[in-house]
Amino acid sequence: MDNISRRKFLAILSSLSLSSPLSAVAASAGKNNQEANRKFPITKAVLKTAYEAEKVAYENYICYSQKAVEEAYPNIAYLFTAFARSEKIHADNYKRILTAMNTRLQESKVEVIILDTKANLIKATEGELKKIQKTYPDLLAKLKTESHDQAVINCMYSWKSHQQHQRKISEIRKYSTYFFGHVAKKLEDLKLDFHVCGICGSTIDEAPETPCDICNMPATHYHKVNRPA
């Protein structure tokens, strides 16, 4: 074998030795993706349910905020806006996990029934209470069967932040049936400064000075919520 043919032979041999492992890796990656798509069927169903619930809550709070602005309750509108920011973070977290699992979401239009601010507050409290007592405990129980860490962690984040929401509006609802005007006036006299954690959706009404109570991430992950126009 002369020098030229030897070089050609070595070049061909080298290309074969390199291409075969790459082909094997590509085939393995494709197989892994297929296996990933078949894994965690319960987790995916739970995350889809949670995503829809948070998306609906987000849309509701945005509309409630606009109604509160129209009715001259700027602080209540601000409260609803902060909750909307928190709900969007929850929804985005679920969407991110599902996307990483090669799972698409069917986006549907949310229909919101807007009442007056007093009724919207009562409805909002009922929704938060349902998520705390029923929705998230049920979803977390289902997630235990497959133990997908990120799904469990983010559902816990949402559950705990909803407890924050419920505490913040429970006192308003407590007296809103008969004394809404009085309670609303007191709320409007407060100097609120809402901040929401971009990691877990934790919602606080003053600038943070310590790590997040829910996810324990640094206070720098909190973002100030701008008041609605």
Side-chain angles (χ1 to χ4, degrees):
M1 185 176 294
D2 58 38
N3 289 337
I4 296 176
S5 59
R6 179 182 291 277
R7 283 198 296 270
K8 288 183 178 180
F9 175 75
L10 292 175
I12 293 170
L13 183 62
S14 176
S15 66
L16 288 174
S17 65
L18 290 173
S19 62
S20 295
L22 289 174
S23 299
V25 169
S28 176
K31 183 178 179 181
N32 289 339
N33 285 336
Q34 292 175 357
E35 290 177 354
N37 287 335
R38 288 193 294 267
K39 287 181 179 178
F40 305 112
I42 295 173
T43 297
K44 290 176 183 177
V46 165
L47 292 177
K48 286 180 179 179
T49 298
Y51 173 77
E52 286 297 325
E54 300 300 329
K55 185 176 73 170
V56 168
Y58 166 75
E59 296 290 349
N60 274 274
Y61 279 131
I62 288 293
C63 292
Y64 293 170
S65 177
Q66 292 171 350
K67 186 65 175 178
V69 169
E70 292 172 6
E71 295 184 344
Y73 296 119
N75 266 0
I76 295 178
Y78 189 31
L79 177 78
F80 285 146
T81 299
F83 288 174
R85 173 80 65 85
S86 176
E87 305 290 7
K88 189 174 188 306
I89 289 168
H90 300 159
D92 288 347
N93 284 342
Y94 297 139
K95 187 174 184 178
R96 171 178 49 78
I97 298 170
L98 285 166
T99 299
M101 299 170 78
N102 298 317
T103 302
R104 292 184 179 180
L105 286 163
Q106 295 293 331
E107 300 290 352
S108 57
K109 185 177 180 180
V110 176
E111 294 186 4
V112 181
I113 299 175
I114 307 173
L115 306 173
D116 59 29
T117 298
K118 173 182 172 180
N120 289 338
L121 275 168
I122 293 172
K123 187 178 177 183
T125 310
E126 291 172 348
E128 294 292 341
L129 201 59
K130 181 180 178 181
K131 285 184 177 179
I132 293 167
Q133 296 180 345
K134 176 68 176 172
T135 303
Y136 274 101
D138 287 353
L139 295 180
L140 286 164
K142 291 177 181 178
L143 287 176
K144 286 182 181 179
T145 61
E146 293 178 344
S147 299
H148 188 287
D149 290 347
Q150 282 300 308
V152 172
I153 289 169
N154 280 276
C155 275
M156 286 295 297
Y157 286 166
S158 297
W159 189 30
K160 289 182 178 294
S161 68
H162 281 297
Q163 292 172 27
Q164 287 180 327
H165 296 179
Q166 196 274 336
R167 287 194 297 269
K168 289 183 185 301
I169 57 179
S170 61
E171 285 301 313
I172 301 173
R173 184 193 172 184
K174 184 177 179 181
Y175 301 105
S176 63
T177 304
Y178 301 107
F179 306 105
F180 176 72
H182 178 69
V183 174
K185 185 178 184 306
K186 281 193 170 183
L187 183 63
E188 293 306 324
D189 289 339
L190 297 177
K191 293 183 179 180
L192 301 176
D193 186 23
F194 284 113
H195 290 71
V196 175
C197 176
I199 302 297
C200 66
S202 171
T203 308
I204 57 178
D205 53 18
E206 58 185 1
E209 297 181 353
T210 59
C212 177
D213 287 341
I214 293 178
C215 66
N216 203 38
M217 295 297 286
T220 52
H221 287 282
Y222 274 98
H223 302 286
K224 180 179 174 60
V225 179
N226 294 325
R227 284 182 171 272

